[in-house]
Amino acid sequence: MSFSKGHQFSDDSKQHLAQIIDNINAGIWEYNTTTRDIKWSSGFYTVLGYEPGEIECSNHIFFEHLLYHEDKPAFLAALNNQPASTGKPLQIRLLTKTSGYHWFESTVKKYTDETGHIFYGSIININQYKQAQIQAAHNDLLYNEAIKIAKLGSWEINTSTMSLSLSKQLYDIYELQNHVKLSLDEAISFFEPAYRPIIKNALDNAIEYCQPYELELLFRTAKNNVIWVRAKGIPIIDDFGRCVTIRGIIQDIDNKKRKNLALESSLNLLTDQNRRLQNFAYIVSHNLRSHTGNLQFMVKLHDDTEVPEERAEMFSHIKSISDSLNATIEHLNEIVKIQTEITNERTVINFEILFKNIISALKSNIEALDASIDYDFSGCPQINYIPAYMESILQNLLTNSLKYSSVDRRPAIKCYTLKERNRIYLIFEDNGIGIDLERFGDKIFGMYKTFHQNPDAKGIGLFITRNQIEALGGSIKVDSTVNIGTKFTIRLI
Amino acid sequence: MTAERAPVNVCLIDDDPIYTFGFKKLINLKGFNSKVINFRDGEQAITWIKDRLNSPDLPDVIFLDINMPNTDGWEFMNEFAEIKSQLGKKITIYVLSSSINLNDIYRAKKNPDVEDYIFKPVNEYQLAEIINASQEDNNDSKIYKYRS
């Protein structure tokens, strides 16, 4: 290779070097800052896609035409700050003849002779490498972003040493700032206690039987945040089919899982409400139909009968049907009222004051039975509740206990409240005749369900009580032993 | 002819006193050839049916209500299924109810011991049909017995 005409390097050895460099598809340049003299080897032209001498070898062409404008400051800085001998190669973009800007790497060196300060260096095309690097960095970014968006961390267990390694993202899920090495047991201890045996068991199965797993578990982070995670593990086997490695991920699915759980519980609530509503419709229809059927029946018999005494008897039945119809309509009204009163304002209710009022309202019943009534509301003296509901609940429970008291002993009724965390419980106990729950179960809260031969039993009280409690998000539970007594446990809020 | 036939024994199991009164009155008024006994829940009925002393008076037809306190119609059916083979008599059971709940209707019709599901209140023509059918059955079985 020869140098282009008029551009001689400063000495023979350098010229020789330039020839060698030209042969490896690279070029060298030289620039005298004092004389502003510039030289390019023919390789320099070649790497840019030109024939030697095809473009003018000048300062102006280099800085204004070849060098990408954004790389100019870096290049000038390299020239100005260049310490005498060494220098890091500089990555710059130069305009090639036919394929636009390419990445080049250039060394920048300096020496001084009698003509002034001379910079020189070699350039090579690193475009492919640089493009690959940029692509790789971009892929890395995409990957990291995807992992971050998916809130996903990965891990690996070496089954021969049982050592565990976690990805950076997994440390983020653990909320561990310094990436301390965790043992397998330590890593498992972040799961909530109830879920630890599940994950342990899944890992054991993966190691022993090569079974993959996918679980949704509750997890407590180092910062004490409890989140739902998806834990997935896949065994990697050797040529003999033994599990040598388990790889897996842990993904934060808290948002989705909690939404799902909320959805599930509201679905259950809706299904339950729907079932009760339909049941209610059947009950209403049944009761109205039986009264109207009876009415029709009696009127017809009344018409068919000639005997005045019999007619009078039938008419008395017609009257009592009319009363029953009225009572049924009133019950309906009470049930509909539950729904309309739910929007009523809640007020702070003092249990003791209210309960004393109810006791005095039922005074004659209580005295007739010589019942003892104990109450203790110190566990929670007050509640924010709909007054009409609370009055109805307490009154129904007390009436119920009095109605189903045992004739064999003095009725003893206990009523008290408890507060646990944010929950308020009302407990109501009696020593009455009780109810066979194995036989009747939850039916006691059903409408028009009566279980005793008591003529006062209407089967409406506990139905309304349960509806009032549940309408405000509470629940009612019953324990009972026949001839020992009954205990109602009510979670009010 | 009718007078020679034995009366049909009818049993009504229903907790509603007014319906019971009307039912008996209807049978009386229309002059059906039948005797009526009634119980106000399933348990009383089962106790009576089980009692050997009552076996000559066992009913030919039972009209059974579903919604009753204590032992309801379903529980009665369960207990009846256990003892029916020891009764020595075929008893036809009709479920008689105001319930239009399809679940109740299917459940009753699925039961092999239930002849039919009748909506309350039963009218006299339906009642006449059932009692007459039962009477035919009685006579048939008598002829059969005589021949054997």
Side-chain angles (χ1 to χ4, degrees), chain A residues 155 157 188 195-215 217 231-235 243 246:
Chain A
W155 51 265
I157 297 168
I188 288 172
Y195 297 89
R196 284 175 209 160
I198 301 174
I199 183 86
K200 263 186 196 152
N201 195 31
L203 282 168
D204 287 348
N205 279 339
I207 294 167
E208 201 154 336
Y209 307 114
C210 298
Q211 285 176 349
Y213 67 83
E214 180 170 350
L215 302 163
L217 308 164
K232 206 171 165 177
I234 291 171
C243 172
I246 305 173

Side-chain angles (χ1 to χ4, degrees), chain B residues 4-38:
Chain B
E4 288 169 23
R5 294 180 174 179
V8 174
N9 283 337
V10 172
C11 170
L12 175 68
I13 307 172
D14 196 326
D15 63 316
D16 181 350
I18 294 176
Y19 188 77
T20 305
F21 165 81
F23 186 88
K24 283 179 161 176
K25 210 74 191 170
L26 183 68
I27 285 187
N28 210 347
L29 270 175
K30 299 298 167 189
F32 294 127
N33 183 19
S34 58
K35 288 198 302 192
V36 182
I37 48 169
N38 73 286

Side-chain angles (χ1 to χ4, degrees), chain A residues 270-282:
Chain A
L270 274 180
T271 312
D272 204 44
Q273 272 179 352
N274 210 29
R275 189 177 50 74
R276 286 217 311 270
L277 211 64
Q278 193 179 30
N279 216 18
F280 174 67
Y282 279 134

Side-chain angles (χ1 to χ4, degrees), chain A residues 289 294 300 310 320 453, chain B residues 16 25 40 70 98 124:
Chain A
R289 280 174 57 88
N294 275 349
K300 184 172 186 324
E310 285 188 354
S320 78
Q453 297 297 349
Chain B
D16 181 350
K25 210 74 191 170
R40 29 179 271 194
N70 238 340
S98 298
E124 57 188 277

